[in-house]
Amino acid sequence: MIITPTSAYQSIAFMKYDRPKLTTSKRVLARGHLVAGTLATALLVAAVSHPASAQICLRGVNLAGGEFGGSEGDYGQSYIYPSVETLDWAASRQMTAIRLPFKWERLQPKLNGPFDSAELTRLVEIVRQANGRGLTVILDPHNYAEYQNDRLGKGNVTAADFANFWSQLAPVFSGNPLVVYGLMNEPTDIGSAVWFEAAQAGLDAIRATGANNLVLVPGNIWSGASHWFDDQEGGSNAELFQNISDSADNFAFEFHQYMDDNFSGTNPTCPRVKDAILALEGVTGWMRQYGYKGFLGEFGGTSAPDCLAGLDEFGDYLASQRDIWIGWTAWAAGDWWGDYPLSLQPDAGVDKPQINVLKPYFQDLDRQCG
């Protein structure tokens, strides 16, 4: 398959979002409404234009903040996009990509309705700023396969609604090789066949607009590599997604994998590094068998010694399998993390120990992947 992208909380407890037995209040519905189409076209003219070139390894961090907030809240108070200083930092560390979480509900306040003009403007502008620094942006609707607490396939939200969302977003960045479309963050608590239908519908909707951008397709159950082969009603991720279809033949599978005792990314130490690597080896073999590529959208740990050693092992393993893995983004930097133990955000200009471990992989001279 063709892979074409190029180089480029406040007071939050020790947690990693929606995990089993965890709760989240990060669901804010932005106010206002306007049609996206005309506005998007006008804004896109101002975006940076880049020709497609070699397949560059996408290596960087998640820049969290756009997905923060409660059920109500304003920009700059409940949620935030990366600052210029944070983007400068990412570029200065020779990262080539950032994964940018945001909320489906904020961009599209009503299912099948028009996009919110203010939120779309913010999203286009942060992409423009990142692209201008040579950073590929992976757009990440950080919703766990739900919309306003309504789980896809279990209530009023359907695969058609999900397809409508992507039919409006895809044209905004169509043809920009420095923008990658991540279909959905960590689908969970959803039937495997239901998620496969929605993923295929989203991918088809993107291609129907004429957009040929790289698309990242996640699996069910938190996108976990460790869950790829799990038995589910309707079939495992491995069984279902070997049949994914893309008319542009430009997609990769997105996996997440943590190293703590339950693979959740919510614990202070990383005792399961070897098990996590085995999970990556398993999906690597599956992708090699079927001729697919992969992207590791989330992994990370605290500054505990076993976590730092694990980050190094992850970087080394993924570099050794660069024919399959097109890159990765570690979890997570962002301006509002405060003392969150997994934060990768620099402290007064000083890099976190986790970033110091990852730097050699950012700066790897052999940058070709896939």
Side-chain angles (χ1 to χ4, degrees), residues 53-78:
S53 64
Q55 299 168 22
I56 301 299
C57 295
L58 301 177
R59 292 176 178 165
V61 297
N62 289 259
L63 289 183
E67 78 282 30
F68 288 1
S71 59
E72 299 289 339
D74 298 323
Y75 182 75
Q77 296 182 354
S78 293

Side-chain angles (χ1 to χ4, degrees), residues 37-182:
T38 302
L39 174 64
T41 301
L43 289 171
L44 189 57
V45 172
V48 178
S49 177
H50 300 272
S53 64
Q55 299 168 22
I56 301 299
C57 295
L58 301 177
R59 292 176 178 165
V61 297
N62 289 259
L63 289 183
E67 78 282 30
F68 288 1
S71 59
E72 299 289 339
D74 298 323
Y75 182 75
Q77 296 182 354
S78 293
Y79 71 105
I80 196 74
Y81 286 116
S83 64
V84 168
E85 292 76 15
T86 293
L87 293 175
D88 285 342
W89 165 76
S92 71
R93 296 312 184 263
Q94 296 182 264
M95 298 182 198
T96 57
I98 61 168
R99 184 168 178 258
L100 185 69
F102 63 93
K103 280 296 188 185
W104 178 1
E105 302 93 331
R106 290 203 183 102
L107 193 54
Q108 190 177 37
K110 183 178 180 180
L111 285 176
N112 298 297
F115 281 2
D116 177 271
S117 60
E119 189 65 12
L120 180 61
T121 299
R122 280 189 282 267
L123 190 63
V124 170
E125 176 60 15
I126 195 65
V127 169
R128 186 192 69 80
Q129 291 181 8
N131 285 175
R133 289 162 172 80
L135 295 165
T136 293
V137 177
I138 298 157
L139 297 177
D140 165 39
H142 212 82
N143 278 76
Y144 310 93
E146 68 177 23
Y147 178 98
Q148 283 289 79
N149 299 311
D150 194 350
R151 191 72 63 176
L152 197 155
K154 291 192 171 184
N156 297 318
V157 184
T158 67
D161 297 326
F162 184 58
N164 175 270
F165 166 76
W166 275 111
S167 73
Q168 294 192 54
L169 183 56
V172 179
F173 303 101
S174 178
N176 182 347
L178 294 186
V179 177
V180 174
Y181 299 152

Side-chain angles (χ1 to χ4, degrees), residues 146-308:
E146 68 177 23
Y147 178 98
Q148 283 289 79
N149 299 311
D150 194 350
R151 191 72 63 176
L152 197 155
K154 291 192 171 184
N156 297 318
V157 184
T158 67
D161 297 326
F162 184 58
N164 175 270
F165 166 76
W166 275 111
S167 73
Q168 294 192 54
L169 183 56
V172 179
F173 303 101
S174 178
N176 182 347
L178 294 186
V179 177
V180 174
Y181 299 152
L183 281 181
M184 172 60 65
N185 179 71
E186 297 188 348
T188 195
D189 192 25
I190 181 174
S192 56
V194 172
W195 171 242
F196 178 79
E197 178 190 6
Q200 186 67 71
L203 183 52
D204 289 345
I206 290 169
R207 299 311 183 207
T209 70
N212 63 357
N213 304 58
L214 172 65
V215 175
L216 300 179
V217 180
N220 196 17
I221 318 181
W222 310 108
S223 304
S226 58
H227 295 300
W228 192 248
F229 301 97
D230 286 5
D231 289 333
Q232 302 178 54
E233 184 178 353
S236 67
N237 287 316
E239 292 169 323
L240 289 168
F241 281 96
Q242 64 181 276
N243 299 312
I244 197 77
S245 174
D246 177 17
S247 60
D249 195 26
N250 192 29
F251 73 96
F253 287 104
E254 179 177 342
F255 300 93
H256 295 180
Q257 188 61 51
Y258 288 89
M259 307 173 287
D260 53 342
D261 60 6
N262 61 357
F263 292 156
S264 68
T266 63
N267 297 290
T269 58
C270 300
R272 298 190 67 187
V273 174
K274 293 187 183 302
D275 291 335
I277 294 291
L278 284 173
L280 294 182
E281 290 176 346
V283 297
T284 300
W286 180 88
M287 287 186 284
R288 185 167 280 115
Q289 177 183 355
Y290 290 101
Y292 292 136
K293 305 295 183 183
F295 179 82
L296 190 61
E298 288 188 23
F299 67 104
T302 69
S303 59
D306 57 354
C307 293
L308 297 180

